[in-house]
Amino acid sequence: MADGSANVGFLGVTRSLSGRLWRQRAADADVTRRHQLSHGLSELLARALASRGISAEAGADFLSPTLKALFPDPSSFADMDRAAEILVDALEAKRRVVVFADYDVDGASSAALIVRWFRAMGLELSIYVPDRIVEGYGPSPAAFRHLKADGAELVITVDCGAAAHDALACAAEIDLPVVVIDHHLMRPGEIPAVAALVNPNRPDCSSGQGHLAAAGVSFVLLAALNREARKRGLFNGAEPDIRAWLDLAAMGAVCDVTQLTGFNRALTAQGLKVMSAWANPGLKALMDVAKGQGPASVFHVGFLLGPRINAGGRIGRSDLGARLLSTDDPEEAAALAAELDGLNASRKEVEAAVQEAAVRHIERESNQADAPCLVVAEDGWHPGVIGIVAGRLRERYRKPVIVIGIDRAADVGKGSGRSQPGVNLGRAVQAAYEEGLLLAGGGHAMAAGLSVRPDTIPELRAFLCERMGAEAKLAAAEDGLEIDALVTTRGADRALWTDFQRLAPFGPGNPEPTFAAADVRVERPMALRGGHVRCTLTDGSGGRLKAVAWRVEDTETGRRLMQEGGAIHVAGKLKPDDWQGRQGVELEIEDVADPRRA
């Protein structure tokens, strides 16, 4: 039996201040020992590696992921060879090609990858990104007719298109060839008639790469394009070195929150190394305005660069991100980065206002906070931020949340939802649509989008609560925090953080390590602007550990941290603290338990 698998209620915590059970990640003892011996790892690190499902044989590739060892055969993707032939045909004929991209980071990264390959081959492509508010997600018949009228001879959709049946049918009618590069789930029998459709999640694709972001699929496409162009003898000099654009593939993988395992892990790890040279003018300019520093990391991508690129699609011009990542002009990059930085600041203000109003709704409406699913709506909430707010509220209330912004003039509410593990929100939203409660709706287990008539919202709320009630109850009982290791305030040091960085990059499929410290005391707690709390933790080991908890001011966790009396258990993630060259660490507190109540 895996050691730790029966360790339910780690440190005796069956209910933390956020209502969670603490568990130690289960790890096979034999695999742990083999990792220690094979790779010279500490017991803590070897155990963490084993707990992530990494076998003894796969340990080397996980610790040192390389493209050479893990790159898939492009031909294993359905339609990949066909897509490469069509695109190289277009290159040779110098046809007018348009890249139709989604408005998020993955779409912008995918578009920039393809634009850069064609540019290296002497053909400049146009980019079209739909407006989130006016046009909505993905291709539409109107957009394709516009592109056709504007002279487009071939369209490549990236990070969208696989489910755009009406738009693709329209493209066929107007004789506009379309190559689809996507990664979103497709239902059996849903493959539309297009020139080529490359999607590792199409039912007949045997690549086994369904966890890739669209940027990862696009990167494999570049390898297929190089192979096809090489076969035709099109390289007079050196062929495009696609490794130079690995930074864009990593952007899509991290910001689309994909599983960082296998080839996708190698793509991200190597992409962060390439990004660290800051050779892409757009990424460099964005890093400058974000005031980031040091080698690129998942933090830089997910919290500094990604939100700024997304801001264009959320509340600004939707094509800004794709233009930024594909430009080679440092001056243009600087101007675009400055614009995106300003939009991101505005996005934060809009988001904060919507979140504050949403919390007021939930707290004041009788029994709503106790419901299995929270559905909150108000006039004028910006559709570009409701998804972020839904995610924040999901973290706060630990249950599925749908946030709806109502447009009274159009008599429609646009909603975005985020779910809790174990509760299939997409399935419930689909059921509501089939019940006639929605104008449109769909998604997957953890996220969904919908359109609804405002006067139907109370009925929708009741339907979803009933539909997800049993799942939500079970999920709440199972809601736990997985702990990797118990540490002291003295042992939680820079050496421990550095050791565990061998598991990076972190993300879905490879969670960032969570450490627990028992019976610590809080010293010098300080409330910070934004609802954060900073403090120092001490224990019997004699160590002093700096700590911070984000957005907890009005929660039970925040209130407990602001008290100095009595010992508590804390759990969180170690982060480097390089302020004024100190080379230390601090703990980002994720949860707190009171031993007297746990």
Side-chain angles (χ1 to χ4, degrees):
M1 187 175 75
D3 68 332
S5 61
N7 196 355
V8 176
F10 187 67
L11 292 177
V13 179
T14 55
R15 185 173 177 82
S16 69
L17 295 188
S18 68
R20 282 182 281 181
L21 167 76
W22 287 11
R23 292 184 288 252
Q24 185 173 26
R25 288 191 204 279
D28 185 276
D30 181 61
V31 174
T32 297
R33 283 191 295 271
R34 292 175 67 185
H35 282 320
Q36 278 186 274
L37 295 173
S38 299
H39 310 298
L41 307 181
S42 67
E43 193 275 336
L44 286 184
L45 184 58
R47 191 185 189 286
L49 188 60
S51 74
R52 281 152 178 75
I54 308 303
S55 67
E57 295 73 24
D61 278 341
F62 187 90
L63 292 170
S64 300
T66 64
L67 294 178
K68 182 177 181 180
L70 298 167
F71 206 102
D73 178 4
S75 299
S76 66
F77 291 73
D79 267 8
M80 182 69 84
D81 292 339
R82 177 66 183 144
E85 290 172 3
I86 293 169
L87 297 182
V88 177
D89 284 346
L91 172 68
E92 289 194 283
K94 298 195 180 303
R95 299 173 74 188
R96 289 195 61 183
V97 181
V98 177
V99 180
F100 189 111
D102 188 19
Y103 35 63
D104 67 0
V105 175
D106 194 23
S109 301
S110 302
L113 282 165
I114 293 171
V115 165
R116 286 184 174 281
W117 188 87
F118 273 90
R119 182 181 295 152
M121 296 297 291
L123 185 65
E124 195 67 35
L125 307 191
S126 301
I127 297 175
Y128 183 93
V129 184
D131 183 278
R132 179 192 291 263
I133 310 299
V134 178
E135 299 177 79
Y137 169 80
S140 65
F144 279 163
R145 289 193 188 97
H146 167 74
L147 293 176
K148 176 72 173 180
D150 205 36
E153 298 175 274
L154 173 67
V155 173
I156 310 168
T157 70
V158 291
D159 195 27
C160 58
H165 299 286
D166 292 343
L168 295 175
C170 173
E173 288 174 12
I174 62 177
D175 194 28
L176 178 62
V178 179
V179 171
V180 175
I181 309 296
D182 205 347
H183 71 126
H184 291 98
L185 295 177
M186 298 176 64
R187 295 189 181 97
E190 258 196 354
I191 302 172
V194 291
L197 192 157
V198 182
N199 182 346
N201 284 307
R202 61 181 276 179
D204 60 340
C205 185
S206 60
S207 67
Q209 298 294 328
H211 55 294
L212 288 179
V217 181
S218 299
F219 190 80
V220 177
L221 173 65
L222 300 195
L225 290 172
N226 265 1
R227 187 169 65 183
E228 181 64 23
R230 189 183 311 121
K231 187 167 67 176
R232 300 190 194 188
L234 298 184
F235 298 131
N236 296 322
E239 63 186 60
D241 182 1
I242 65 174
R243 293 173 300 178
W245 306 318
L246 276 165
D247 48 3
L248 296 172
M251 287 293 301
V254 172
C255 293
D256 232 47
V257 200
T258 58
Q259 293 279 321
L260 298 186
T261 58
F263 167 59
N264 202 35
R265 174 174 168 80
L267 203 64
T268 305
Q270 299 303 321
L272 291 173
K273 291 179 182 177
V274 171
M275 192 184 299
S276 296
W278 304 109
N280 182 296
L283 290 177
K284 182 181 186 306
L286 207 56
M287 188 70 161
D288 288 343
V289 298
K291 296 180 172 56
Q293 56 185 344
S297 66
V298 167
F299 169 78
H300 292 114
V301 173
F303 293 93
L304 297 184
L305 305 177
R308 286 170 168 81
I309 294 172
N310 274 333
R314 292 191 184 281
I315 63 171
R317 299 209 316 275
S318 56
D319 65 346
L320 292 176
R323 287 171 55 200
L324 177 82
L325 297 182
S326 58
T327 186
D328 287 321
D329 181 350
E331 289 188 10
E332 181 186 19
L336 290 169
E339 186 172 358
L340 285 167
D341 187 54
L343 287 170
N344 189 55
S346 300
R347 185 271 305 169
K348 287 181 179 178
E349 293 176 2
V350 173
E351 176 194 327
V354 171
Q355 182 173 334
E356 186 178 332
V359 168
R360 284 200 304 270
H361 273 284
I362 293 168
E363 301 292 351
R364 77 167 181 241
E365 291 177 16
S366 178
N367 298 324
Q368 165 127 338
D370 298 325
C373 172
L374 303 180
V375 180
V376 59
E378 189 171 293
D379 292 4
W381 282 350
H382 199 294
V385 303
I386 55 175
I388 304 176
V389 172
R392 297 265 193 241
L393 297 179
R394 199 282 311 170
E395 292 173 7
R396 177 178 177 133
Y397 294 103
R398 314 293 301 170
K399 61 182 65 179
V401 178
I402 295 175
V403 179
I404 302 172
I406 300 173
D407 181 344
R408 290 291 175 187
D411 191 35
V412 66
K414 293 288 182 71
S416 186
R418 298 294 182 269
S419 194
Q420 187 74 348
V423 187
N424 194 320
L425 178 61
R427 186 167 59 200
V429 166
Q430 181 65 33
Y433 174 73
E434 293 167 357
E435 195 74 11
L437 297 173
L438 298 175
L439 301 172
H444 53 79
M446 296 301 291
L450 57 85
S451 297
V452 61
R453 293 293 180 206
D455 58 4
T456 312
I457 291 173
E459 191 178 350
L460 172 67
R461 180 186 291 115
F463 177 88
L464 292 175
C465 285
E466 182 180 356
R467 182 84 183 189
M468 292 188 285
E471 275 186 322
K473 186 175 181 180
L474 185 61
E478 291 292 315
D479 186 17
L481 182 65
E482 303 287 337
I483 308 291
D484 284 284
L486 180 66
V487 297
T488 63
T489 57
R490 181 178 291 277
D493 58 12
R494 187 65 171 227
L496 180 68
W497 176 82
T498 301
D499 197 27
F500 270 78
Q501 285 304 296
R502 296 184 66 180
L503 301 182
F506 301 114
N510 179 34
E512 187 173 355
T514 298
F515 299 96
D519 298 317
V520 299
R521 294 185 179 274
V522 176
E523 293 183 356
R524 294 182 295 179
M526 182 190 316
L528 305 178
R529 184 178 177 185
H532 318 309
V533 173
R534 187 175 291 282
C535 62
T536 299
L537 304 175
T538 63
D539 61 13
S541 72
R544 300 175 65 81
L545 179 61
K546 292 174 62 177
V548 63
W550 306 116
R551 295 183 294 274
V552 298
E553 184 179 36
D554 57 350
T555 68
E556 193 168 359
T557 294
R559 288 188 284 271
R560 181 61 186 84
L561 288 173
M562 289 302 294
Q563 301 170 11
E564 294 192 64
I568 57 174
H569 303 327
V570 298
K573 297 173 173 60
L574 284 180
K575 301 290 183 178
D577 176 19
D578 296 331
W579 178 250
Q580 295 182 332
R582 64 168 54 104
Q583 292 286 296
V585 292
E586 73 173 4
L587 184 73
E588 282 192 357
I589 297 174
E590 188 170 339
D591 206 3
V592 171
D594 189 328
R596 296 166 296 183
R597 300 166 51 192

